[in-house]
Amino acid sequence: MDPCPFVRLTVGNLALKIPVASKPASSVVHPSSSPCFCKIKLKHFPPQTAVVPCISTESQFPDFQHQALSATFHLSKSDLDRIAAKSIFAGKPCLKISIYTGRRGKTCGVNSGRLLGRLTVPLDLAGTESKAYVFHKGWISVGKDSKGSSAQFHLHVKAEPDPRFVFQFDGEPECSPQVFQIQGNIRQPVFTCKFSFRSTGDRNQRSRSLPTESSGARGWLSSFGSERERPGKERKGWSITVHDLSGSPVATASMVTPFVASPGSDRVSRSNSGSWLILRPGDGTWKPWGRLEAWRERGASDGLGYRFELISDTNGGMGAAGIVLSESTLSSNKGGKFVIDLGANSNGRATLSSTTSPACSPRGSGDYGYGLWPYCMYSFVMSASVEGEGKCSKPSVEVSVQHVNCTEDAAAFVALAAAIDLSMDACRLFSQRLRKELCQQNDLLG
């Protein structure tokens, strides 16, 4: 099946030149000593905020200086249709940017920054599903002081095709559902999932479709996690295996560190988080591909904290140290989206900064994760929807076509999506009961 069309709209290479005669109000830090910032708005999307570096009026913005992207909007076919829809109350689609001097933030409910000016960049998104288009690249005059001098704002706005494979669970992961590939109105089954309990004490609870574990596979599970037996409250041994339509296992997510309540509480803390190992088949056994840690955040957010790292494969040997690709928090009540995006500020969600993004692979796409990660060329990797606690969850998964070269590639992302969804249950307060599918027989009897 063909992937679904998506468009990636990016804003980057921001810079600001302010005439020396332009003096902001005395209560505001002068832009020469403090970065400015801007707010970027696109219809139907949350606004994004980005820092704008100031440069001297004499210098030219160097063509070879490629800054990290300041804002990214991912547009599905339905988003494109909504933005392009004609309305008597709205004009043509455009990107709206408000530029401020001074620090970001609010004091007593009032914005601390001083508005320098606003600008709009017209957008004609027709045809961008198949061809890249640059809407603006260069300087624009913004604002004027009492003498008529204008500041100069530099930006680069570009839209490019970003097709994705879209998968949808037909039920909650713990209910061993089918997984469909979605393309428009077409739903085609591509995987089945099997939830089970990985327990050294009761082999009969294991999924019968799993290949026999070799000593090497058991070694990986023990080295990356812990079969720690602790008195008190814990959730352990969950496993979900993804099979192709022939019944062959093509990926698995295994809980390798139990989710245990911290002493004196009924929650999983960050200092004692649980973890999953995402594995792919290779050379007759399972090979580690990624590791997901999850915990329950304290404070007003009271959300699901998570951290995902890719496990590097160097010269055939696996190392415990990984490359962190995503770390953020999801609302325990409303849920949200788990996102891996190596760009900046994807739809307002926290993503990796340019300083922590992995370096470019010397061979382009073959050094990490079975050739799935061409860091230099693409930013978006995947996203997965997660429902809040107590809600029926049928995760949907979007994966960039650049990261899917075979069935096992897609299956690994599906297994990761199942693990983050199940983590919402694993991190529920221990004062709350789980549904029976997530409880072993002795738990139900207890």
Side-chain angles (χ1 to χ4, degrees):
M1 290 181 68
D2 295 328
C4 295
F6 277 77
V7 171
R8 183 170 177 258
L9 180 67
T10 57
V11 181
N13 284 6
L14 302 184
L16 186 64
K17 292 194 293 189
I18 300 180
V20 176
S22 288
K23 300 248 184 189
S26 58
S27 61
V28 180
V29 177
H30 193 276
S32 62
S33 61
S34 177
C36 301
F37 67 96
C38 69
K39 293 182 179 179
I40 304 168
K41 297 181 180 180
L42 179 65
K43 185 180 179 182
H44 302 304
F45 284 85
Q48 301 184 35
T49 303
V51 173
V52 182
C54 295
I55 63 176
S56 65
T57 55
E58 294 79 16
S59 65
Q60 294 294 322
F61 197 76
D63 292 335
F64 59 84
Q65 183 176 344
H66 296 291
Q67 299 177 339
L69 294 176
S70 299
T72 305
F73 299 91
H74 299 289
L75 313 177
S76 65
K77 183 66 169 68
S78 59
D79 292 328
L80 293 171
D81 292 340
R82 282 196 303 165
I83 292 174
K86 294 182 179 180
S87 171
I88 60 175
F89 301 105
K92 294 183 178 179
C94 64
L95 199 66
K96 297 180 179 180
I97 303 175
S98 302
I99 304 153
Y100 298 84
T101 58
R103 296 186 179 92
R104 286 186 289 178
K106 292 185 177 182
T107 303
C108 299
V110 180
N111 287 321
S112 301
R114 169 180 171 268
L115 180 65
L116 179 66
R118 293 187 175 94
L119 60 90
T120 60
V121 179
L123 301 176
D124 183 2
L125 297 170
T128 53
E129 299 172 29
S130 58
K131 183 180 179 180
Y133 189 83
V134 176
F135 296 105
H136 182 86
K137 182 180 182 181
W139 295 95
I140 300 179
S141 297
V142 292
K144 287 187 178 181
D145 61 15
S146 58
K147 297 183 179 180
S149 299
S150 298
Q152 298 290 309
F153 184 71
H154 188 282
L155 77 161
H156 185 192
V157 181
K158 180 181 180 181
E160 54 192 332
D162 184 23
R164 304 176 185 181
F165 292 107
V166 179
F167 304 96
Q168 176 78 56
F169 285 70
D170 196 37
E172 296 177 303
E174 61 268 28
C175 296
S176 301
Q178 278 190 310
V179 179
F180 291 84
Q181 183 181 349
I182 309 298
Q183 211 285 323
N185 295 323
I186 303 174
R187 288 166 52 91
Q188 177 176 320
V190 289
F191 299 117
T192 59
C193 294
K194 175 63 178 178
F195 179 83
S196 60
F197 293 98
R198 184 178 58 82
S199 172
T200 56
D202 186 357
R203 293 283 179 177
N204 293 328
Q205 293 189 72
R206 297 181 49 80
S207 169
R208 289 179 295 174
S209 58
L210 276 170
T212 303
E213 280 187 358
S214 66
S215 58
R218 288 194 296 271
W220 283 124
L221 294 176
S222 60
S223 64
F224 280 94
S226 171
E227 290 294 339
R228 58 190 180 195
E229 293 291 341
R230 297 193 177 192
K233 308 168 183 176
E234 63 177 11
R235 293 161 183 153
K236 64 178 182 178
W238 299 359
S239 179
I240 188 162
T241 305
V242 182
H243 303 82
D244 61 20
L245 294 183
S246 70
S248 300
V250 285
T252 188
S254 183
M255 186 186 287
V256 291
T257 305
F259 287 71
V260 180
S262 296
S265 75
D266 62 348
R267 69 174 60 226
V268 179
S269 68
R270 180 167 190 164
S271 60
N272 197 33
S273 59
S275 68
W276 300 79
L277 199 59
I278 315 300
L279 304 106
R280 294 165 47 118
D283 300 328
T285 186
W286 291 113
K287 289 190 174 182
W289 175 77
R291 178 172 176 167
L292 175 71
E293 296 180 51
W295 58 89
R296 182 85 176 215
E297 290 283 9
R298 288 187 176 273
S301 62
D302 192 32
L304 175 73
Y306 65 83
R307 181 175 185 267
F308 175 72
E309 62 182 19
L310 188 72
I311 300 171
S312 59
D313 185 355
T314 308
N315 298 324
M318 305 298 292
I323 302 168
V324 178
L325 296 184
S326 185
E327 185 171 7
S328 190
T329 304
L330 296 170
S331 169
S332 296
N333 181 35
K334 298 180 180 179
K337 276 196 174 183
F338 167 85
V339 179
I340 301 176
D341 190 337
L342 305 184
N345 295 330
S346 169
N347 287 353
R349 291 182 291 269
T351 56
L352 291 175
S353 66
S354 58
T355 57
T356 58
S357 295
C360 298
S361 165
R363 293 194 294 273
S365 62
D367 287 343
Y368 299 106
Y370 300 85
L372 295 178
W373 310 97
Y375 294 116
C376 306
M377 299 174 62
Y378 310 104
S379 293
F380 176 79
V381 178
M382 74 160 285
S383 69
S385 64
V386 180
E387 293 292 339
E389 291 180 349
K391 299 178 182 178
C392 180
S393 182
K394 298 180 180 180
S396 61
V397 187
E398 297 173 7
V399 186
S400 173
V401 296
Q402 310 298 339
H403 303 294
V404 178
N405 298 315
C406 60
T407 301
E408 288 80 4
D409 293 347
F413 291 111
V414 169
L416 174 57
I420 191 69
D421 188 89
L422 289 167
S423 294
M424 187 68 78
D425 291 297
C427 289
R428 290 189 73 170
L429 299 178
F430 279 84
S431 57
Q432 302 173 354
R433 293 185 63 86
L434 300 180
R435 60 185 299 166
K436 65 177 188 289
E437 288 85 357
L438 293 169
C439 299
Q440 298 193 51
Q441 187 174 5
N442 57 342
D443 295 329
L444 292 172
L445 294 175

